Structure formats: structure tokens, C-alpha cells
Amino acid sequence: MSRKYRGIGNTGGGRGTVTHGNSSKNRNESTRNHGNWYDTKVKTGVYDGDNKPAKLVSQLDVHTELLEIDGSVLEGGGQVLRISTALSCILKRPIRVSKIRAGRSKPGLAAQHLTGLELLALLTNGEVVGAEKGSQEIELAPSKLEPPQCVYGVVGTAGSIGLLLQSIVPVLLFSEGSYDKVIETSIRLVGGTDVDFAPTLDFYLNVFKVYLTRMLGSRDHTVISPVLNRRGYFPAGGGAVTLDIYRNNGASVIPGFTFVEHGNLRQIGVSVYVSQGVFKSRAKQCYNTALETVRTEFPRIEIKEEFNVISDKSQCFRDGYNILVTALTDTGYILAQNAVGGKGTDPEAMARDAVIRLQDDVRAEACVDSQMQDQLIIFMFLAIGSSKIKTGSLTMHTKTAIHICNLFDDEVKFEIREVTCSEKDSTPRQNSKPKSFIIECSGRQGFYRGDG
């Protein structure tokens, strides 16, 4: 099928390109020509090693029935677009999303959202209309999952790679391809790995990947391997991530899952990463404050400490620092919060805030933290059988994800109920009673019987 794309632009202000193909030979030659594939000379856009331009279309087939989605509902930002486009590709349901990011100061598609949209269309051989920066309405008509052997998604800004993965990974796992065909592809992304208002790549590698492995289990013939090649901090971006996926038995299938037994707190982790540059002293302040706050908020709990200086300049595009604080329970759950520092950031305040947010999740006896809960909704929706997760207060992102899922299939039932906390992990900060919730979903059980 043909596609309509407009590139994001390069550092000189021009437009990038979108290309497609399947030649592993060209893929390898392209990598060699660039040295490190994530070299700064890699051009902005979405493409693969074949470097062929995509065909343009001005509109979808007039007979295409579109599911209408209001991009201004609830969270009113990129979350609506991410989960809508992912479900569109998985269920092969054409969509029109209007009023995109209407709740933001700069509405419409930003570079990260545009890259994500183009990637999904390329991976599923789909048609897309309105794929240009600032667009407040798009149409997407996906087809079967047919990814090239290597795909590049270069944002051109510090747009979050972690947020890109929220839509790409479910599509690579669950979209229908040819059931007698192995899916093996390498997604290479350049953008922000450590930016505000998004999970960092450390969160993705240390938390999301743990839950994904737990959901897929050993029965699924799927291997997914994310690698952080180079850090990219706000505002420069330039971070690089490789996501390799191997799938040899059709679309992945996950049974319903239950994450509700919080157990007892076993260990707190404090990890700080800083480039070898101007922020080293601030990062040390952040680290020391985090440890001091952890000792106050989590007395008598083992602490795992890491202060990591990135001495190799090739592993960090520009100067910056970030922190990840984690809580590990004896039932195998890991809760986490992250924060990113820069020129205008108070390192002590950012450290305290990250620890306090983590403590809120712990006091709620959550098995899923506030950054993770919305990311699991799409997996609960697609699972065979009912799923349950225990978390703290629902975020607006989570409420938005549930709403969008029900637009695609309102027969899938989500139930949310508040439960009582024992407060066994209570600390000296007792100014409010923690709230804990169970989110339960019936699962879209018929999807894997061929109704997709």
C-alpha cells in the first residue's frame, strides 16, 4: 500500500524523508557508512537501509470506515494519539484522530508524535494522512505487520524515546503478520532518552522490561531486546536506542495476569547517571540528597547505591544527569520514579521529589507504580482472560488509556475499586492516608480467535 509522509526536518531546518525496504545487505552497508549508526550525521526522519522514498497519497479510500477519536479528551495530549494508533495497528481498525494535543500550549503533532506515527505506518504497511508537524488531525489505515529488517526513527529533537516505545512495542508484539513468517527487525531510534515528563530509558530497561517479561512468560516465542547505545538529554536529544525483536509464531499471545500481592519491601535503589562535564557537582548533590531522604522515608531497609559517571563521550550526546529510585518487594515487583536535571533544575528538590513519589507508591502497597500503570492498560485489554493490577491513585494517563480502549471495544470491561491499605510500610511522613486501587479488566478474549 502507498503512504503519505512528510519528514520532520533536519538540523538545518529542511524536511526529512521516509523510506522503506528489506535488504539486509543495504542495512549493513548503511551502518558501516555511518560508523556508529547513531552518529550525529544520521538524517532526521523515518527510513531504513534501502533509502527508497515512500509513495504519497492525499486521502484514504472514500469507502474506508474510520473510528473517530477526539484527541482533546481527558489527558488531552500525546497519550490519546499513542494508544489510539497502537490499537489501530493491532486491530487493523482505521482511525481519524482530531483535536490532537488540544490540551497543550502548542497543539498538534510535535516531532516525537510525528516520528511515532510514521514508524507505525511503515511497520504495518499502512496509509497515513496528515503526518506533518503541527497537524491537529490525522487518519491512519494500517495493514499487516511487515517490518523491514532495519528501521530508523530519528526524531531530530529531544522527543522522548521512552514514549515512542509505548506504541511501537505493543504493535510489534500483537499486530497480525503472516503466521508462517518470522518477524525479525531492528528498530533504531534517536531522540531523548532522559527528558522531563516521561519515563527515562533507565525506567524502561529496569522496570518495564521486567513486567513485559513477566507478562509474556516463557511460553511465547518472542524475544525483545532493548539496548541503550547513547544517552540524550534535554534539550539537545541525540540519544540512541536499539530495539531488536524476534517473533516466530504469529502474533504474541498473553494470558490474563495478576499483579496484586505487594508483599514486603526488600530493597531501595538509588542510581544517578551523569555525563563527564559541568553537571557532576549537581549530580552529586542530587545523589546525596536522595540517599538522605531514602534513609528518612525508608528506615531499616537495605539501600543499593550507584553513582555512575559516563566518562566515554561517545555514550552521551550532551551534558546532563538523571536519577532513578526503585523499590523492590519480596514478591518480585519493582516500583520506580525518575527525574532529570539540567541548568534550571534544583538537584536537591528533584531528588526529594523522586523519593517522595516512590514512597507514595510504596505506602499504597502498589505492585505497579504511577509511571507504569497506564502502560499496562493496553496489555490488560488484549490479554486472554481477566487481569488485575494493584496501584495507587489512577493517573489521568491511565484513565485516558482505559477510555480509548473502550472506544475500540466497549464489551471489554474495566472495573476500578478502592481497597484498604495496611500501612505496614508507613514512614514518619503521615500527613495523608494512602489510597490503593485494583484495576481489573475482562480482556479482549475473542481477538485471538480470528475476529481482529
Side-chain angles (χ1 to χ4, degrees), residues 87 90-93 253-256 377-387 405-414 441-452:
L87 285 174
I90 293 166
L91 302 177
K92 298 194 295 297
R93 180 79 184 272
V253 175
I254 59 169
I377 296 301
I378 191 170
F379 292 93
M380 298 175 76
F381 177 76
L382 295 171
I384 298 178
S386 65
S387 299
C405 284
N406 280 146
L407 290 181
F408 280 86
D409 190 342
D410 59 7
E411 292 185 6
V412 176
K413 302 302 180 186
F414 284 91
C441 179
S442 61
R444 194 172 187 269
Q445 302 180 40
F447 171 57
Y448 296 104
R449 294 196 293 270
D451 73 338

Side-chain angles (χ1 to χ4, degrees), residues 41-58:
K41 295 179 181 178
V42 173
K43 66 178 180 294
T44 301
V46 174
Y47 54 94
D48 82 350
D50 284 343
N51 224 17
K52 298 176 182 176
K55 296 178 181 179
L56 301 180
V57 298
S58 59

Side-chain angles (χ1 to χ4, degrees), residues 51-317:
N51 224 17
K52 298 176 182 176
K55 296 178 181 179
L56 301 180
V57 298
S58 59
Q59 63 181 25
L60 299 182
D61 189 295
V62 293
H63 300 296
T64 302
E65 183 179 350
L66 299 172
L67 174 63
E68 300 282 350
I69 297 172
D70 183 350
S72 67
V73 299
L74 295 170
E75 180 262 350
Q79 172 74 338
V80 177
L81 187 71
R82 283 189 295 274
I83 194 164
S84 296
T85 52
L87 285 174
S88 171
C89 292
I90 293 166
L91 302 177
K92 298 194 295 297
R93 180 79 184 272
I95 59 171
R96 177 187 292 120
V97 185
S98 58
K99 303 178 185 176
I100 293 172
R101 300 180 69 242
R104 298 294 183 261
S105 57
K106 294 182 179 180
L109 297 176
Q112 172 238 123
H113 312 102
L114 181 55
T115 302
L117 178 63
E118 293 180 324
L119 279 167
L120 293 184
L122 182 59
L123 291 170
T124 62
N125 197 30
E127 294 180 339
V128 62
V129 176
E132 51 191 273
K133 195 170 180 180
S135 174
Q136 296 185 48
E137 182 173 297
I138 63 96
E139 296 175 358
L140 174 65
S143 186
K144 283 190 175 183
L145 182 67
E146 295 179 341
Q149 291 180 345
C150 186
V151 179
Y152 294 83
V154 184
V155 179
T157 70
S160 169
I161 292 176
L163 293 180
L164 279 177
L165 293 173
Q166 287 185 17
S167 56
I168 294 170
V169 169
V171 169
L172 289 171
L173 290 174
F174 299 115
S175 290
E176 180 185 354
S178 299
Y179 279 89
D180 60 347
K181 181 180 178 182
V182 169
I183 298 291
E184 186 173 11
T185 188
S186 181
I187 313 294
R188 299 174 175 186
L189 305 171
V190 178
T193 61
D194 301 89
V195 298
D196 288 329
F197 310 114
T200 61
L201 254 294
D202 294 307
F203 182 94
Y204 192 88
L205 295 171
N206 292 284
V207 184
F208 179 85
K209 189 181 176 184
V210 172
Y211 284 83
L212 182 62
T213 301
R214 199 162 179 167
M215 288 184 291
L216 288 174
S218 59
R219 293 167 295 180
D220 196 274
H221 301 282
T222 301
V223 177
I224 183 164
S225 304
V227 175
L228 174 56
N229 302 114
R230 180 177 65 193
R231 291 182 182 272
Y233 290 97
F234 180 85
V241 173
T242 302
L243 181 74
D244 292 331
I245 185 165
Y246 175 85
R247 208 183 85 183
N248 71 350
N249 195 25
S252 297
V253 175
I254 59 169
F257 51 90
T258 300
F259 301 156
V260 297
E261 294 296 331
H262 174 82
N264 297 301
L265 192 59
R266 194 175 80 186
Q267 184 187 80
I268 297 296
V270 176
S271 299
V272 169
Y273 295 86
V274 60
S275 59
Q276 182 76 298
V278 297
F279 291 117
K280 193 172 178 180
S281 62
R282 292 192 185 188
K284 199 66 177 179
Q285 282 181 279
C286 173
Y287 178 67
N288 291 333
T289 302
L291 290 175
E292 179 184 343
T293 310
V294 163
R295 293 185 184 111
T296 300
E297 296 295 324
F298 300 96
R300 300 179 300 279
I301 300 296
E302 176 191 348
I303 303 174
K304 181 180 179 181
E305 310 171 21
E306 288 185 287
F307 186 83
N308 305 283
V309 179
I310 307 166
S311 56
D312 186 345
K313 291 185 178 181
S314 70
Q315 294 180 6
C316 195
F317 186 68

